[in-house]
Amino acid sequence: MEDAQLYVSANAMQRRDALLVLSEYLPQMSWREEGEAVLDVGCGSGDVTRNLLMPLLPRVEQVVGVDVSRDMVNFASKTFEHNSLSFHHLDIERAVQPRQAFPDGFSKVFSLYCLHWVKDQERCLNNIYQLLQPGGETLLVFLARNPLFTMYENMSMKDRWQPYMQDVSNFVSVFQHKNDPAQIMADLAEEVGFEVLSCEAPTFEFVFENINYLKNAIKAVNPFLKRVPCEEQDAFLLDCLDELARLKTQRSDGKMVARYSLMVAHLHRVE
């Protein structure tokens, strides 16, 4: 997840889903005449913030992208920063009093394909709540369930790969094995103080046109690959692909398809 250039070239699924969700939810939000201060949590390489999110925002004064990876922030700053967009380092899960870093707060907070990496969802939501101005809204989009996480779990039980994947649970969505992830998320948001405008976890599907693109997509987000010795990394990736095939992700025409649940939470800070 540290190879920003690879992620930019292999995140078509993330971009497609972000566009679908934003196109549906942005018209439902209230927008200030004087412009918005917008935060993008988990901006990664910055391409989605700059090329997808910003052009869709109806009124914007300032956009800030934050990410836990300093390498990603550095790449985003060099590649996508401009006069109304800046990138900064912030760990949304572990930050203490994040409003101190951004004293004015934000009228809108977005997070697109990031929060499935967060284990302490309540603390994360608390930090987003703090960063929002009263009356502000947040739209959170992330994986609730995905065969990728099952593949990680299966790979971690193999003798060959187990030494590199002992902390596999840290990289599996906390909602992966929950019966009603949307309700759990909504309950957490209400406990934090949000008004839940909507919270759902619909099923999505994405078709990878060829095996090489799927391989690069897996490589771009795989947190374990860099731990595997260089001479074994190709074997590791091929084993990942074999595991996904066993999970019935291959269609009759040979193309690979991902079927997954995407959490979409639209929340409002009332006070």
Side-chain angles (χ1 to χ4, degrees):
M1 292 183 292
E2 300 297 325
D3 190 336
Q5 193 63 61
L6 176 61
Y7 185 78
V8 168
S9 67
N11 64 355
M13 184 180 82
Q14 293 91 324
R15 291 197 309 270
R16 196 262 335 241
D17 290 352
L19 178 59
L20 286 173
V21 175
L22 289 169
S23 298
E24 178 181 352
Y25 281 85
L26 289 180
Q28 301 177 28
M29 293 181 164
S30 58
W31 298 94
R32 301 175 180 179
E33 289 294 334
E34 66 272 20
E36 305 276 346
V38 175
L39 178 68
D40 182 18
V41 173
C43 63
S45 52
D47 63 310
V48 171
T49 312
R50 176 67 184 92
N51 297 330
L52 195 155
L53 177 61
M54 283 189 69
L56 291 173
L57 297 173
R59 299 183 186 91
V60 62
E61 187 174 273
Q62 174 199 24
V63 178
V64 173
V66 296
D67 200 90
V68 67
S69 167
R70 294 185 186 276
D71 288 343
M72 286 288 192
V73 169
N74 290 337
F75 178 90
S77 296
K78 293 175 183 177
T79 312
F80 296 107
E81 195 168 83
H82 74 103
N83 57 351
S84 60
L85 172 62
S86 60
F87 297 96
H88 304 270
H89 174 257
L90 180 73
D91 185 339
I92 194 63
E93 180 179 11
R94 295 180 176 83
V96 177
Q97 296 183 321
R99 192 64 176 263
Q100 290 184 355
F102 303 101
D104 295 331
F106 300 91
S107 54
K108 298 286 187 296
V109 175
F110 295 90
S111 184
L112 308 171
Y113 262 87
C114 165
L115 300 187
H116 42 266
W117 303 119
V118 169
K119 305 309 290 183
D120 192 341
Q121 291 284 327
E122 184 174 3
R123 185 170 176 181
C124 172
L125 286 170
N126 260 308
N127 282 336
I128 291 173
Y129 187 91
Q130 288 183 44
L131 287 163
L132 267 178
Q133 299 165 354
E137 295 173 74
T138 183
L139 181 65
L140 310 177
V141 183
F142 61 96
L143 294 169
R145 303 191 191 101
N146 192 296
L148 190 72
F149 300 135
T150 304
M151 179 266 286
Y152 287 161
E153 291 172 330
N154 291 347
M155 292 281 287
S156 72
M157 291 185 284
K158 298 186 176 186
D159 291 341
R160 186 175 183 180
W161 311 124
Q162 191 273 338
Y164 313 111
M165 306 180 71
Q166 295 183 23
D167 58 348
V168 65
S169 63
N170 291 338
F171 301 96
V172 174
S173 168
V174 296
F175 299 103
Q176 174 76 356
H177 302 293
K178 303 299 184 183
N179 291 328
D180 193 349
Q183 187 60 56
I184 296 170
M185 181 66 175
D187 290 344
L188 278 175
E190 287 183 345
E191 289 175 16
V192 167
F194 281 109
E195 175 191 9
V196 178
L197 300 178
S198 66
C199 187
E200 54 185 358
T203 299
F204 278 64
E205 184 173 291
F206 186 85
V207 177
F208 294 91
E209 292 300 320
N210 60 68
I211 199 72
N212 286 330
Y213 192 89
L214 175 59
K215 183 179 178 181
N216 282 335
I218 293 172
K219 187 176 180 180
V221 300
N222 196 304
F224 309 105
L225 185 62
K226 63 183 178 182
R227 304 176 182 177
V228 176
C230 292
E231 65 273 15
E232 292 193 87
Q233 288 183 3
D234 281 343
F236 178 79
L237 287 171
L238 289 174
D239 209 351
C240 288
L241 292 171
D242 287 343
E243 280 297 325
L244 286 174
R246 291 190 188 97
L247 294 170
K248 301 186 187 302
T249 57
Q250 189 164 358
R251 301 195 317 187
S252 57
D253 60 5
K255 294 180 180 179
M256 302 293 283
V257 58
R259 298 182 183 89
Y260 50 95
S261 295
L262 198 65
M263 186 78 75
V264 182
H266 181 197
L267 313 174
H268 176 224
R269 176 174 173 171
V270 179
E271 57 181 86

